[in-house]
Amino acid sequence: MTAIENRVPAAQASDTRNQTGETMTQPLTGERESQSTGGSDAVVVRDVGKIFTTKKGATVTALENIDLTVAAGEFVSLIGPSGCGKSTLMRLIADLDTPTSGTLTVFGKTAKQARLDQEYGIAFQQAGLLPWRTVRANIELPLELHGFSKAARTARSRELLLLVGLGDFADNYPDQLSGGMQQRVAIARSLAESPNLLLMDEPFGALDEMTREHMQAELAHICAETQAAVVFVTHSIPEAVFLADRVVVMSPRPGRIQAVVDVKLGAGERTDDLREDDQFFASVSEVREHLHGTHATGVRGVENR
Amino acid sequence: MTQGQTPTTQLMAVLPGDDPTTASRARPSSGGTGNLRRVILGALGVVGIAVFWELYKFLGPEKGWAIGTTIILPRTNDMSMPHVWTMFERLFQPLTGAANSKMMWEAVVDASAFSLYVAAVGWIIGVSVGFLLAVLMQRFRTAQSAVLPWVILSQTVPLIAIAPLVRRWGSQIEFGSFVWENWMSVALIASYLAFFPVSIGALQGLNSPETAHVELFRSYGVGWWKTLIRLRIPASIPYLIPALKLAAANAVIGTIVAEVSIGLKGGIGRTVIEFAGAAGGDPGKPWAPIFGAIAIGLIAAGIVSVFALFLRRFMRQETNS
Ligand SMILES: Nc1ncnc2c1ncn2[C@@H]1O[C@H](COP(=O)(O)OP(=O)(O)O)[C@@H](O)[C@H]1O
Ligand SMILES: [Mg+2]
């Protein structure tokens, strides 16, 4: 398949939109009211496709017709079964890979320019700390690379250590920390330059359930404090719902946006109490229905807990 | 993983003690008692060899044992196998019968120091060249395909063949007051042996960071140079340290062999040959410079180990508990 064939005319795309339009669901494209591609939106993805060509010449359509707008300060979760292109979409936003078709802007700039301007902070499933650096030095890494003064670095890392609750571990090395603590360091590092956009690819995926819920509450707190927009990839439905303003449900082969669910959990900070909230359960059910809609056989690779 | 892993991995597999994963599992904190144990075991090994030597000398046949002309068991007389204490005693006797003669140990120390110096110069040149080659190969894939085969081929050329060539070329070099001296040829040959493990080990180390780390640096929008300094070089240290030790051993061997084949005076290699001829009435004498050569090897390895102590934090691994 060529890139051209994958581009669906706008009219056709809006047809698909109407078919799935449901009461609680946003339009399929994930559009908010603002259609502008101006600087007020954190991420604007327009009709993006990504086709991988393997070494043997085979092609894999990882993403097709992706339209998504993430407003400034908005928390968007991406959820879907394994291989539906969540990571790929995030990597395109981060300019770690380039789309085969379509356009993508971050704060009104090209993805590459946004990366060079340090518009985003990023965290992956593996903490990815440098083992020869202390916790503090790991958090200061981006600041050091971008030429911040020693004083500025120290002040910022102290702030962040307190924010993620690792004040006492500043001088420890990563191999002396638990997985959850390592992940907190990675999150602190992604916040080092106070980015307006956070990209997180299953950052809690390797953690046990207890640590995970704790980290979710902490992340909710951090986001309330920093006011950054977040694109958060996960395969846990409760996690997606608990954290996000909107949950983007994706389906595989080819990776597309299946539905966008608005989570209405009130304006305040998300706390653990909300996990018992009726609205929380309603949103969880809704996301689950959309996920199961993709396959009659049920969805593998997505946790229902 | 990164490009070029296949040939280097195979090569590194033949280098001893090169596995950074096992090396780093020994935590720095446990180093104290572990080092003491190693020293004791090492000393026991030396004592064991001496005991074995004396035991064989005591039990073995005086005239040796041969089938036809093939000697199976060496002779044990005092000429062929002097007592261990004879060897040591000889160190503390004058070198020659002359009245103002140096002590044997002084002569050995002087010769060893000279050879160690030449080996150190060779080591530094070899390590620098090897490391720069590795950086070049990491940076440009084409450089890797162009250079790596030659790096490997270079080690198949016998030392005996290149030594006279290096000497002849060197003797034609003359800028102003600079004159190429024989010891420089020896250092050059030592560096020729030393650069090889460094270039291979460093290349593997520079290519060792995981994709996740490389992409993190890309997300920071920093270029190749900063990634090299902050990520690739620190990550290469666990691979580099065993390579530096091998390079030290190679530099010492290269120096001693090249001294002999170039005919450089003053070093331990030449002394070994000279004293071996004098074995006739003085069985302890040939052993003195051999002890010197062993000492050079130990000192060279020791210096690298001390250097490695300062790099201990780079031996840590990112563990996921
Ligand atoms: N570098 C790549 N080369 C080839 N195929 C890839 C590559 N990266 C991802 N893919 C394919 O693209 C699809 C989406 O992958 P990914 O974005 O990692 O999914 P997810 O994160 O949702 O599990 C998968 O089918 C995967 O095999
Ligand atoms: Mg993924």
Side-chain angles (χ1 to χ4, degrees), chain A residues 29 118 174 277:
Chain A
T29 51
Q118 295 299 296
D277 195 294

Side-chain angles (χ1 to χ4, degrees), chain B residues 82-272:
Chain B
H83 283 291
V84 174
W85 49 88
T86 312
M87 301 175 197
F88 279 98
E89 274 165 13
R90 187 65 188 87
L91 282 175
F92 300 97
Q93 290 159 2
L95 180 58
T96 62
N100 58 349
S101 166
K102 276 188 199 172
M103 296 297 266
M104 175 64 97
W105 67 266
E106 283 177 295
V108 168
V109 167
D110 285 352
S112 303
F114 178 69
S115 290
L116 187 61
Y117 169 75
V118 174
V121 172
W123 185 81
I124 290 168
I125 296 172
V127 167
S128 313
V129 170
F131 194 78
L132 288 178
L133 274 178
V135 168
L136 188 77
M137 288 191 278
Q138 198 286 318
R139 179 69 182 85
F140 303 104
R141 269 193 96 149
T142 43
Q144 184 176 322
S145 0
V147 174
L148 195 57
W150 292 107
V151 168
I152 294 161
L153 268 181
S154 72
Q155 300 302 303
T156 65
V157 180
L159 204 59
I160 306 297
I162 53 169
L165 283 179
V166 171
R167 185 190 176 171
R168 183 146 14 105
W169 293 330
S171 66
Q172 287 161 9
I173 297 176
E174 227 183 301
F175 307 109
S177 61
F178 175 83
V179 185
W180 186 267
E181 291 175 39
N182 266 354
W183 75 266
M184 297 177 187
S185 300
V186 174
L188 196 66
I189 290 166
S191 73
Y192 184 81
L193 292 193
F195 96 97
F196 175 71
V198 176
S199 60
I200 301 295
L203 177 60
Q204 198 184 11
L206 292 173
N207 277 332
S208 69
E210 302 157 28
T211 319
H213 282 148
V214 175
E215 289 191 335
L216 185 73
F217 274 69
R218 182 175 153 82
S219 83
Y220 293 143
V222 296
W224 174 81
W225 178 248
K226 275 192 178 177
T227 308
L228 178 74
I229 300 293
R230 295 280 182 221
L231 177 64
R232 293 194 186 276
I233 289 180
S236 76
I237 303 246
Y239 296 81
L240 207 53
I241 285 174
L244 292 180
K245 285 183 186 159
L246 274 172
N250 283 3
V252 169
I253 293 170
T255 300
I256 291 174
V257 174
E259 274 178 18
V260 173
S261 45
I262 284 187
L264 177 68
K265 291 202 179 91
I268 202 76
R270 184 63 183 260
T271 313
V272 168

Side-chain angles (χ1 to χ4, degrees), chain A residues 62-77:
Chain A
L63 292 173
E64 200 171 80
N65 304 121
I66 301 292
D67 279 286
L68 176 69
T69 303
V70 180
E74 188 188 19
F75 197 122
V76 171
S77 289

Side-chain angles (χ1 to χ4, degrees), chain A residues 86-87 201-202 233:
Chain A
K86 307 181 292 289
S87 298
D201 192 350
E202 302 191 33
V233 173

Side-chain angles (χ1 to χ4, degrees), chain A residues 50-55 58-63 78-91 97 201-202 233-235 250 252-253 255:
Chain A
K50 175 70 187 175
I51 299 168
F52 286 108
T53 309
T54 58
K55 275 181 192 151
T59 56
V60 179
T61 308
L63 292 173
L78 300 182
I79 194 167
S82 300
C84 71
K86 307 181 292 289
S87 298
T88 303
L89 179 54
M90 215 196 72
R91 292 170 53 82
D97 224 326
D201 192 350
E202 302 191 33
V233 173
T234 176
H235 55 249
M250 296 179 66
R253 281 174 292 275

Side-chain angles (χ1 to χ4, degrees), chain B residues 11-24 204 237-246 315:
Chain B
L11 259 162
M12 284 303 283
V14 300
L15 308 180
D18 68 334
D19 183 1
T21 4
T22 46
S24 58
Q204 198 184 11
I237 303 246
Y239 296 81
L240 207 53
I241 285 174
L244 292 180
K245 285 183 186 159
L246 274 172
M315 303 298 277

